[in-house]
Amino acid sequence: MWEESFDKEQDVGQNLDYSPVSWREYFDQMEDVSVGQADSRDVFRVYKAGCEGPLLVLLHGGGHSALSWAVFTTAIAARVGCQVLAMDLRGHGDTLVRQSDDFSTQTMSSDVANVVRACHGEIPPPVVLIGHGVGGAIAVHTASNALMPTTVGLVAIDVVEGSAMEALHSIQNFLKGRPKSFKSMDHAIEWSVKSGQIRNLESARVSMVGQIKRCEAEEAETLERAGPVKDVVEERNEEFYDRSYADEEQNAATEACVGECQSIYKWRIDLSKSEKYWDGWFRGTSNLFLACNLPKLLLLAGIDRLDRDLTIGQMQGKFMMQVLPPCGHAVQEDNPDKVADAVAAFLLRHKFAEARRDKSPRSTLES
């Protein structure tokens, strides 16, 4: 499913910049939104852009964060007039919730509605739900349960019940195959690109910040005692990971942290602990998607993702569909311009938004 892809600069042997980039390059505002009762509030990190037009609510995939939409946000804002609200789902990114291990579709879809309500009141602007992977499944559940009365459209990116259910058995192996830690943010970004997790260096530089976090020496020692990381990540028996990289990464990280009392970086969320929810995320989503009485768009990384129900529904004209090869699962990161083109065409076709005549970048709001 994933193949290595490198920048043209890398192809000619030039050094690439793997340093992190701030969210401020792509979004207008960052905000921590509190929802729930006063004595037991949950706090969700959200990123915003734009001040008029439909509200695009962007939901990221498992293990990622709202920052995975950064480059896409700039791309879509240059094409149509819209507002963007990208949120960290519970347990991900910089959210602080009481039950960070509750990943049920009911809880997570309620989170989406609560955050939008907190930001835009009881009657928000026309909402278009856009979700990738697990976020796509949550978008489908949010729309099908009519949790936001102003929802006018639904976009699901590389989430298909059939192929998702088939892939569940291999997720744990994939998670075990990743490095457990990195000695720096730069090295994490480099790994994400060279491993093929994110094929777009620009996106990796901003989005990896939402996937890993700094940990202190005590945690680093625990990581060291856990043993060396597996040095090959496999997906459908395709190896795309430098065998020498993981051990060097782990050893250097541990040495830096333990020897010099410095920090290293680890994953923000242990996705393996959410396994009991995996089936519930995807089972039945194809029929729920088809049953949503809304204009719908399905974007896929490959035609092989399509299952029987969606194939029939697509032939019956129940939704728009576009395949965007070549890219990996992180479609909106690998090909943000193509995804923005498809979403913009969807918004314009249904008259949800107006095209930008000047094609100028978004105006920056004061934080």
Side-chain angles (χ1 to χ4, degrees):
M1 183 165 67
W2 291 344
E3 299 171 359
E4 280 194 80
S5 178
F6 300 96
D7 257 64
K8 291 182 179 178
E9 289 182 336
Q10 187 171 6
D11 292 340
V12 296
Q14 295 185 14
N15 292 328
L16 297 179
D17 184 359
Y18 294 107
S19 61
V21 175
S22 170
W23 62 268
R24 293 179 177 85
E25 298 293 322
Y26 304 94
F27 297 99
D28 296 331
Q29 296 174 294
M30 178 186 73
E31 183 179 347
D32 288 326
V33 178
S34 298
V35 301
Q37 301 298 323
D39 58 344
S40 57
R41 287 186 176 274
D42 291 334
V43 180
F44 292 86
R45 173 68 54 86
V46 303
Y47 299 86
K48 300 177 179 179
C51 57
E52 60 183 5
L55 178 65
L56 310 186
V57 177
L58 309 181
L59 308 178
H60 62 81
H64 291 255
S65 78
L67 295 176
S68 68
W69 298 101
V71 184
F72 166 82
T73 293
T74 298
I76 193 65
R79 288 161 171 77
V80 297
C82 64
Q83 304 175 65
V84 164
L85 188 158
M87 62 177 284
D88 288 345
L89 299 177
R90 66 170 45 230
H92 293 72
D94 282 298
T95 56
L96 292 173
V97 298
R98 290 163 297 156
Q99 296 177 309
S100 60
D101 58 348
D102 179 4
F103 297 109
S104 66
T105 55
Q106 180 179 359
T107 297
M108 295 179 77
S109 56
S110 294
D111 290 340
V112 175
N114 290 337
V115 168
V116 172
R117 189 177 300 112
C119 292
H120 292 274
E122 292 296 327
I123 306 178
V127 169
V128 178
L129 287 164
I130 303 178
H132 165 248
V134 175
I138 300 305
V140 171
H141 282 273
T142 303
S144 64
N145 290 318
L147 297 181
M148 289 183 289
T150 61
T151 302
V152 296
L154 174 63
V155 180
I157 302 178
D158 215 37
V159 52
V160 172
E161 178 185 352
S163 57
M165 297 301 293
E166 292 176 3
L168 289 184
H169 70 278
S170 64
I171 293 179
Q172 286 287 11
N173 288 335
F174 167 74
L175 295 175
K176 291 176 182 177
R178 301 188 305 181
K180 291 180 175 61
S181 63
F182 303 92
K183 68 178 180 181
S184 68
M185 184 65 71
D186 293 38
H187 277 77
I189 294 169
E190 182 178 0
W191 172 83
S192 72
V193 175
K194 290 186 175 180
S195 69
Q197 176 174 293
I198 302 173
R199 302 183 183 184
N200 183 329
L201 176 57
E202 180 186 5
S203 187
R205 292 177 66 191
V206 61
S207 70
M208 280 301 290
V209 176
Q211 292 192 56
I212 64 171
K213 64 180 180 180
R214 187 187 299 270
C215 66
E216 302 306 323
E218 294 79 4
E219 292 178 281
E221 292 175 0
T222 300
L223 288 171
E224 181 186 28
R225 288 194 297 270
V229 298
K230 183 178 178 181
D231 59 0
V232 177
V233 178
E234 297 181 356
E235 178 68 17
R236 294 187 181 177
N237 298 320
E238 291 179 354
E239 297 180 359
F240 54 74
Y241 187 44
D242 182 352
R243 290 176 176 274
S244 64
Y245 192 82
D247 289 336
E248 292 176 0
E249 186 77 15
Q250 180 75 10
N251 294 339
T254 303
E255 180 181 348
C257 187
V258 178
E260 301 177 17
C261 296
Q262 296 178 351
S263 299
I264 65 172
Y265 293 80
K266 67 174 185 178
W267 300 102
R268 288 178 180 268
I269 178 173
D270 184 354
L271 280 178
S272 64
K273 294 181 179 179
S274 66
E275 184 173 10
K276 66 179 181 179
Y277 295 103
W278 294 352
D279 186 90
W281 286 343
F282 301 108
R283 189 173 298 281
T285 53
S286 288
N287 285 325
L288 285 177
F289 178 77
L290 292 170
C292 283
N293 189 25
L294 297 168
K296 299 180 287 290
L297 171 64
L298 178 63
L299 298 178
L300 300 175
I303 193 64
D304 61 311
R305 308 288 208 275
L306 213 56
D307 61 21
R308 181 178 180 275
D309 290 335
L310 289 179
T311 299
I312 295 173
Q314 197 273 331
M315 293 174 65
Q316 294 174 338
K318 292 185 177 181
F319 60 92
M320 295 174 62
M321 187 186 79
Q322 188 168 340
V323 180
L324 300 172
C327 58
H329 176 56
V331 183
Q332 78 279 7
E333 296 203 54
D334 295 349
N335 271 317
D337 286 324
K338 289 185 179 180
V339 173
D341 284 340
V343 172
F346 174 75
L347 297 174
L348 294 172
R349 175 176 179 176
H350 294 285
K351 296 181 170 56
F352 295 147
E354 296 182 1
R356 286 201 180 278
R357 296 178 181 178
D358 56 2
K359 300 293 183 182
S360 61
R362 59 182 173 80
S363 59
T364 302
L365 301 178
E366 292 184 1
S367 299

